[in-house]
């Protein structure tokens, strides 16, 4: 589309094509007139041949037409950058989802392995009569439930891998030690202004293109002269006609009815509508950025509480509960509840990290930061 708009811009700068006209006149119909010679005249002695070349010269229209095509080409380029930014945001989100799915699976696999180890230890206690069958059944149910959750997590990981590969058109694999960077607050000054977002810039460029079309429409009131140069070779010279002659003509259209007034009004109203849409999108982007920053701040605060407060406490409680169970001071039901809560804390941390990265990604998408980087890298490549 960008290349098509560039071709339209190049075409807008061309002059109108000249017109070549070939004609043959004085073609006799019926008997020929022998008045001057007293004999019958041949066909070749009567007809005349003409050739004419006409060229229209545009007055005041070529410039506005080029401007309109140029602004349209720039708008298409801005939309291309917007699409690149959207694809970058989708790719980043797919990779983040892949990391989160792998982390969920790792947590559930570790918890399942611990549950199976405890189950085998408790089986021995059951056989020795130190554990009730009801408690062992609870442990079995918990292990089966963890195995089912692990299976679902594995399926989610495979879907994340497939979705990432389909988006990037390449295999999506993660190194064993690959980790996501810590999500951080995003300073408003670090993001581009919403007015610089490519789709909003494209609307401004479309508005300028509409104004240029309106200017072109108003220039319709200026008549474009057509200059004609012709040559005539007359074979009927018996009547005293000149055998060879030139003809020069000038034609001027009269803009009496259509002076471009309606097309100009249409373009002006289109420009006003585009400008209103541009202002609406810019205002909406500012509101969205503010809301996303507030959500990110709250999510990071919740993530900090989970990592600094809830996770150490959960680990300590789980360790003490396991020791208490071994000494017979705690029931299996209570240990299962503690372990389930610890698993929930670990998964909540994964979800909070994922939510924070999603919000950062949405902030970059709303501000057009990825598209701005694409435009900058493209400009550096050209230099």
């Amino acid at each position: 589309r960008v290349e098509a708009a560039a071709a339209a811009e190049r075409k807008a700068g061309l002059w109108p094509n000249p017109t070549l006209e070939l004609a043959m006149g004085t073609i006799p119909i019926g008997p020929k007139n022998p008045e001057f010679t007293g004999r019958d005249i041949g066909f070749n002695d009567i007809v005349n041949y003409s050739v004419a070349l006409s060229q229209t010269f545009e007055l005041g229209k070529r410039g506005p037409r080029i401007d309109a095509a140029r602004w349209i080409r720039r708008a298409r380029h801005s939309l291309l950058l917007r699409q690149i930014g959207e694809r970058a945001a989708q790719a980043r989100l797919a990779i983040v989802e892949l990391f989160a799915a792998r982390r969920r699976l790792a947590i559930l696999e570790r918890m399942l392995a611990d549950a199976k180890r405890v189950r085998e230890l408790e089986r021995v206690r059951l056989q020795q009569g130190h554990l009730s069958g009801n408690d062992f059944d609870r442990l079995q149910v918990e292990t089966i439930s963890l195995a089912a959750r692990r299976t679902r997590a594995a399926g989610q990981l495979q879907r994340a891998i497939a979705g990432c590969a389909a988006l990037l058109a390449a295999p999506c694999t993660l190194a064993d030690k690959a980790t996501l960077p810590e999500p951080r607050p995003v300073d408003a000054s670090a993001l581009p202004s919403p007015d610089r977002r490519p789709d909003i810039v494209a609307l401004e460029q479309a508005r300028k293109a509409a104004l240029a079309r309106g200017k072109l429409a108003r220039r319709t009131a200026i008549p474009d002269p057509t200059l004609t140069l012709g040559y005539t070779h007359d074979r009927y010279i018996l009547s005293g006609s000149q055998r060879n002659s030139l003809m020069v003509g000038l034609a001027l259209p009269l803009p009496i009815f259509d002076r471009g007034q309606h097309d100009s009004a249409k373009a002006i109203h289109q420009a006003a509508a585009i400008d209103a849409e541009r202002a609406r999108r810019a205002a909406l982007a500012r509101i969205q950025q503010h809301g996303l920053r507030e959500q990110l701040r709250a999510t990071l605060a919740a993530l900090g509480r989970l990592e600094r407060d809830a996770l150490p406490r959960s680990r300590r409680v789980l360790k003490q509960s396991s020791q208490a169970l071994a000494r017979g001071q705690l029931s299996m039901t209570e240990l299962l509840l503690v372990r389930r809560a610890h698993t929930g804390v670990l998964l909540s941390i994964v979800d909070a990290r994922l939510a924070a990265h999603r919000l950062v990604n949405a902030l970059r998408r709303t501000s057009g930061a990825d598209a701005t980087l694409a435009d900058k890298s493209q400009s550096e490549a050209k230099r």
Side-chain angles (χ1 to χ4, degrees), residues 54-289:
S54 301
Q55 176 66 53
T56 300
F57 296 92
E58 291 184 319
L59 300 180
K61 301 176 181 62
R62 187 166 172 266
R65 186 172 63 245
I66 293 175
D67 289 342
R70 181 182 297 117
W71 286 117
I72 289 176
R73 189 258 304 165
R74 291 179 180 177
R76 292 284 173 82
H77 182 262
S78 297
L79 291 177
L80 171 62
L81 294 178
R82 175 64 172 173
Q83 188 172 5
I84 291 174
E86 290 289 333
R87 294 294 178 88
Q90 293 172 6
R92 185 185 297 108
L93 184 58
I95 294 172
V96 169
E97 295 277 2
L98 185 56
F99 271 102
R102 189 180 71 169
R103 179 61 180 159
R104 287 194 199 96
L105 180 61
I107 291 172
L108 290 173
E109 284 181 340
R110 185 170 67 249
M111 299 304 295
L112 179 60
D114 290 343
K116 289 181 178 179
R117 180 178 56 81
V118 172
R119 183 186 62 184
E120 295 307 317
L121 293 175
E122 296 302 312
R123 189 188 302 276
V124 175
R125 294 184 61 196
L126 175 66
Q127 293 172 352
Q128 294 175 352
H130 300 298
L131 182 71
S132 68
N134 191 33
D135 285 341
F136 186 77
D137 288 341
R138 288 195 183 97
L139 182 59
Q140 284 276 52
V141 171
E142 182 70 13
T143 304
I144 294 172
S145 176
L146 281 173
R149 296 178 67 181
R150 184 263 172 206
T151 301
R152 289 196 299 271
Q156 292 174 353
L157 177 60
Q158 292 303 316
R159 286 195 296 272
I161 293 174
C164 178
L167 181 64
L168 301 181
C172 285
T173 56
L174 296 176
D176 292 337
K177 297 182 179 181
T179 57
L180 277 176
E182 291 289 333
R184 300 177 181 273
V186 178
D187 189 4
S189 60
L191 296 174
S193 170
D195 293 328
R196 292 177 54 196
R197 203 173 74 184
D199 61 321
I200 297 176
V201 173
L203 286 172
E204 175 62 20
Q205 292 163 339
R207 184 186 71 87
K208 292 181 178 179
L211 292 177
R213 287 194 299 269
K215 184 177 181 180
L216 176 61
R218 291 191 297 274
R219 296 285 176 87
T220 304
I222 303 175
D224 298 328
T226 299
L227 182 63
T228 302
L229 177 63
Y231 165 74
T232 300
H233 177 70
D234 196 344
R235 305 287 296 178
Y236 191 54
I237 60 175
L238 297 177
S239 60
S241 301
Q242 182 68 29
R243 181 177 292 276
N244 299 300
S245 61
L246 292 176
M247 183 274 292
V248 177
L250 179 66
L252 285 174
L254 300 178
I256 297 176
F257 306 109
D258 185 4
R259 301 182 302 278
Q261 65 272 31
H262 302 300
D263 289 337
S264 175
K266 174 183 175 182
I268 290 174
H269 291 308
Q270 287 178 341
I274 293 172
D275 190 53
E277 176 64 15
R278 182 201 61 78
R280 185 192 69 84
R281 288 195 190 184
L284 180 61
R286 292 187 184 93
I287 294 173
Q288 289 176 338
Q289 283 188 14

Side-chain angles (χ1 to χ4, degrees), residues 25-52:
T26 324
I27 300 175
I29 299 176
K32 305 175 185 63
N33 184 7
E35 178 180 351
F36 294 96
T37 61
R39 62 181 177 82
D40 195 10
I41 304 173
F43 177 84
N44 199 38
D45 296 325
I46 300 175
V47 298
N48 58 64
Y49 304 94
S50 301
V51 57

Side-chain angles (χ1 to χ4, degrees), residues 81-82 85 88 92 186 190-193 196-198 289 360-376:
L81 294 178
R82 175 64 172 173
R92 185 185 297 108
V186 178
L191 296 174
S193 170
R196 292 177 54 196
R197 203 173 74 184
Q289 283 188 14
V360 173
N361 193 53
L363 269 170
R364 294 183 62 85
R365 177 180 172 274
T366 304
S367 64
D370 295 318
T372 304
L373 291 177
D375 191 23
K376 185 182 299 184

